[in-house]
Amino acid sequence: DGGITQSPKYLFRKEGQNVTLSCEQNLNHDAMYWYRQDPGQGLRLIYYSQIVNDFQKGDIAEGYSVSREKKESFPLTVTSAQKNPTAFYLCASSGRTGAYEQYFGPGTRLTVT
Amino acid sequence: AQKITQTQPGMFVQEKEAVTLDCTYDTSDPSYGLFWYKQPSSGEMIFLIYQGSYDQQNATEGRYSLNFQKARKSANLVISASQLGDSAMYFCAMRSPVNYGQNFVFGPGTRLSVLP
């Protein structure tokens, strides 16, 4: 089945540790995105990538890093520089032309203590 | 700047009734797409319906329809015959050539509660 997978669903880390969230898609989409969602809030864009080996900062990129070495994969690293990393993280992908909708993964809920 | 406004933080509707969730948008581009997503308590974002700016007719998908009023820059979601499973957050979003290179623009969302 085509879709986006994110793992793990729940992630717990100690403060000061870097953590990497995985995102894989088999939809053959060129564009991929990472969003952060805090409780009761909307989505805020962290990073996006339109093609392999290229990515751009979104609205809240500080304390995060990404890579796009393969079309199917867009991992997000939450670094120790992110001051408030506890949140729900959603990965999405979409086509690059037309008005294609974004397809979302199930999300990863990160808790840092 | 591209912007989506959803003025209803929360809405209640009786089961089997219809409900309208408001969405207004701001863009200077003549070509754009409008989307509605549902987010149940599980967290996953579910695509519901799409309306293109040049579409002559309002989009419909099953119990969902989009009341598109271009001159008013309004793209309200209408859910007919509400079901308990419709209780969720609903987000309006826009994509246009100007912001394509960056992202979709999402509204703050409306929490819909369906009452039995």
Side-chain angles (χ1 to χ4, degrees), chain A residues 9 31 33 35 37 41-43 45 48 50 58-59 88 90 94-97 99-102 104-106 109, chain B residues 32-33 35 37 39 41-47 50 89 91 95 100-109 111:
Chain A
K9 189 166 180 65
Y33 309 79
Y35 292 95
Q37 187 178 33
Q41 304 296 314
L43 277 65
L45 181 70
Y48 66 99
Q50 295 185 67
D59 301 318
F88 186 57
L90 282 159
S94 72
R96 292 187 66 214
T97 59
Y100 292 178
E101 67 270 25
Q102 284 187 334
F104 283 83
R109 198 167 299 276
Chain B
Y32 50 88
F35 306 80
Y37 287 85
Q39 187 180 41
S41 57
S42 61
E44 189 166 359
M45 296 282 282
I46 302 167
F47 166 70
Y50 162 77
M89 283 289 290
F91 292 95
R95 184 180 196 176
Y100 168 79
Q102 184 173 9
N103 60 350
F104 280 54
V105 177
F106 283 86
R111 182 172 298 281

Side-chain angles (χ1 to χ4, degrees), chain A:
Chain A
D1 287 357
I4 301 178
T5 57
Q6 290 184 246
S7 61
K9 189 166 180 65
Y10 298 95
L11 192 54
F12 298 89
R13 281 293 183 271
K14 294 290 186 184
E15 194 173 322
Q17 294 179 335
N18 291 354
V19 58
T20 298
L21 282 57
S22 109
C23 177
E24 303 277 335
Q25 56 100 359
N26 60 5
L27 300 167
N28 200 32
H29 284 164
D30 288 299
M32 296 187 74
Y33 309 79
W34 274 105
Y35 292 95
R36 170 181 172 138
Q37 187 178 33
D38 292 290
Q41 304 296 314
L43 277 65
R44 292 188 290 171
L45 181 70
I46 304 172
Y47 268 98
Y48 66 99
S49 168
Q50 295 185 67
I51 55 173
V52 174
N53 293 322
D54 182 69
F55 49 83
Q56 304 295 328
K57 293 181 179 180
D59 301 318
I60 56 166
E62 186 176 350
Y64 299 97
S65 66
V66 294
S67 63
R68 187 86 187 276
E69 297 177 0
K70 298 187 301 182
K71 187 175 184 178
E72 303 79 16
S73 179
F74 192 41
L76 173 75
T77 297
V78 184
T79 74
S80 56
Q82 169 49 235
K83 295 179 180 179
N84 187 17
T86 295
F88 186 57
Y89 292 88
L90 282 159
C91 178
S93 71
S94 72
R96 292 187 66 214
T97 59
Y100 292 178
E101 67 270 25
Q102 284 187 334
Y103 292 82
F104 283 83
T108 292
R109 198 167 299 276
L110 174 65
T111 302
V112 177
T113 58

